Amino acid sequence: MTGSIPLSTPMIEVRRMDFDFGKLDQQDWYRNNPVLTAFMSVLSGTFPPGEQMFIESVRHYKDRVSDPELLAHVADFTRQEAHHTKQHKLANEALESLGWKAQEIERRVEKAIGFFNRKRTPRERLAATVCLEHITAIVAEYVLTHPQQLEGMHPSIKYMMIWHAIEEIEHKSVAFDVYMTTGGKRSTLRRIMKAISVLFPALTVGRTFYLLWAARRMPSWAQTKEAWTMLFGKDGMITCIKAPFKDFYRDDFHPEDHDNRELIERWKAEIEAWKVS
Ligand SMILES: [Fe+2]
Ligand SMILES: [Fe+2]
C-alpha cells in the first residue's frame, strides 16, 4: 500500500468521448420496451446533478488531504465525473425530444440535492457521496459482467453506459479514501447508507412511473414482466448486487476489495472507437 491508496487501485484515465445521440430515433430505444427505456432515462437524468454533488462534496475536503497520490486521484475523479455529466446532459436533451422527460428529472434531482445539502453537514454530504459511489460501482460491475443486459439498447446509450461503468470502477475508491483519511466515521456511512438504500430505489421507481405517464406510454404486461425480471430475476441487477452491497457494512471494507482491474481491462478496447482524439 502506498500512503492511503491500495495497490489494487486501477489507473484513473480521463477519456473525452463523443456519442452521437442525434441518431436516437426510436422512442423505446431499449428493447422496444417503454419501462426499460423510462428506467434508463431516469438514471441518465439523475447523473448530472448527482455527479455535481459528488464533485463538490469531495473537493470540500481537498485541502485536508496531504497524500499527493490521493490528491491526483481527486483531480482525475473530478474530471471524469465532469465528462460524464457533459455526455449525460447531451443524452438527456435527445431523450427529451423523444418525449422522455430526462431534463425534468435533472431539475427534480437538483432540487432534492439542494434540500439535502441545506439540511446536512459537509461530512454527511461526503458520506452520501461515498455511499452512492459504492452503489454506482457495484452496478457498473454488474453491467460489465452481464453484457447480455445491454443487448437491444441503442448503441449511443449502450457505449456511453459501458464507458461510464469503466470509469466509475476506476475512481470508485476516491471519495471513500478522502472520507477515511480526513477522519470520517464508519458509523456515519452506515447510517447514511441505510437511508439511501430505501430512498434511492423508491425515488427511481417513482420517477420511472412519472416518465411513463409524462410520455403517455402504457407498457404491456409482457414488457412489465421483462423489466421486473431484469431487476429481480435470477440474473437480475438487484439480485446480483445484494452481496457486494452488504460488504459495505463490514468493519474493514474498502471499495478495492472488489478487484475489477481485469474486468475493465477487457472492456477498454470496446470504447476506444468513441474517443475524441
Ligand atoms: Fe459518473
Ligand atoms: Fe462516480
Side-chain angles (χ1 to χ4, degrees):
M1 193 155 158
T2 346
S4 56
I5 318 277
L7 287 172
S8 55
T9 304
M11 284 279 296
I12 302 176
E13 187 186 338
V14 183
R15 303 166 182 85
R16 291 179 61 233
M17 310 301 281
D18 186 18
F19 302 100
D20 192 357
F21 302 113
K23 287 194 177 138
L24 264 174
D25 48 6
Q26 187 190 349
Q27 190 179 23
D28 299 342
W29 45 264
Y30 189 12
R31 297 200 182 175
N32 211 14
N33 184 323
V35 187
L36 292 174
T37 307
F39 180 75
M40 293 303 293
S41 300
V42 168
L43 291 184
S44 188
T46 305
F47 281 123
E51 287 167 330
Q52 195 53 42
M53 179 197 117
F54 299 169
I55 292 170
E56 284 167 12
S57 63
V58 169
R59 289 182 67 82
H60 182 88
Y61 282 86
K62 200 171 66 98
D63 294 343
R64 297 188 215 174
V65 175
S66 52
D67 183 342
E69 205 182 344
L70 182 53
L71 278 171
H73 281 188
V74 168
D76 290 337
F77 155 84
T78 304
R79 287 159 69 214
Q80 280 190 334
E81 293 291 35
H83 281 304
H84 301 167
T85 292
K86 194 178 163 198
Q87 289 302 313
H88 276 282
K89 272 185 167 290
L90 290 171
N92 295 342
E93 216 178 295
L95 294 174
E96 193 85 18
S97 65
L98 287 174
W100 299 111
K101 293 204 165 291
Q103 290 176 317
E104 175 62 26
I105 298 297
E106 276 187 46
R107 286 189 286 274
R108 286 179 180 216
V109 175
E110 200 178 327
K111 237 172 132 182
I113 290 173
F115 179 77
F116 176 80
N117 284 347
R118 283 192 298 280
K119 300 274 175 196
R120 301 293 173 178
T121 62
R123 178 59 71 190
E124 287 173 316
R125 284 179 226 152
L126 181 57
T129 294
V130 173
C131 296
L132 287 162
E133 282 283 276
H134 177 62
I135 294 172
T136 314
I138 59 177
V139 169
E141 180 187 36
Y142 171 79
V143 167
L144 299 184
T145 49
H146 295 76
Q148 70 276 18
Q149 307 291 48
L150 295 168
E151 279 166 23
M153 193 185 283
H154 191 276
S156 58
I157 304 273
K158 174 179 161 179
Y159 286 96
M160 174 175 69
M161 297 312 281
I162 294 171
W163 160 66
H164 201 160
I166 292 170
E167 296 200 349
E168 287 303 322
I169 287 173
E170 285 178 339
H171 74 227
K172 67 180 174 180
S173 62
V174 177
F176 182 91
D177 288 338
V178 170
Y179 181 86
M180 294 309 281
T181 55
T182 56
K185 291 188 186 129
R186 285 187 188 262
S187 56
T188 310
L189 285 183
R190 291 189 187 112
R191 174 168 57 83
I192 301 270
M193 186 59 120
K194 273 180 192 154
I196 285 178
S197 63
V198 175
L199 270 176
F200 185 66
L203 287 169
T204 303
V205 169
R207 287 171 183 146
T208 301
F209 281 118
Y210 166 69
L211 249 58
L212 285 166
W213 172 81
R216 303 286 183 265
R217 303 289 293 117
M218 177 61 89
S220 68
W221 170 244
Q223 287 165 334
T224 309
K225 200 174 157 206
E226 183 184 31
W228 178 268
T229 308
M230 281 186 79
L231 287 175
F232 301 103
K234 191 172 129 306
D235 288 324
M237 187 176 80
I238 302 296
T239 312
C240 293
I241 66 170
K242 266 184 199 160
F245 173 78
K246 280 185 192 158
D247 287 344
F248 190 80
Y249 290 97
R250 267 191 0 239
D251 283 340
D252 60 348
F253 171 76
H254 186 280
E256 297 302 336
D257 293 348
H258 303 150
D259 186 350
N260 300 129
R261 281 172 299 172
E262 263 184 44
L263 177 68
I264 56 173
E265 228 24 75
R266 281 191 271 133
W267 281 97
K268 281 181 192 173
E270 287 277 329
I271 51 137
E272 273 303 303
W274 304 82
K275 238 158 102 175
V276 178
S277 52

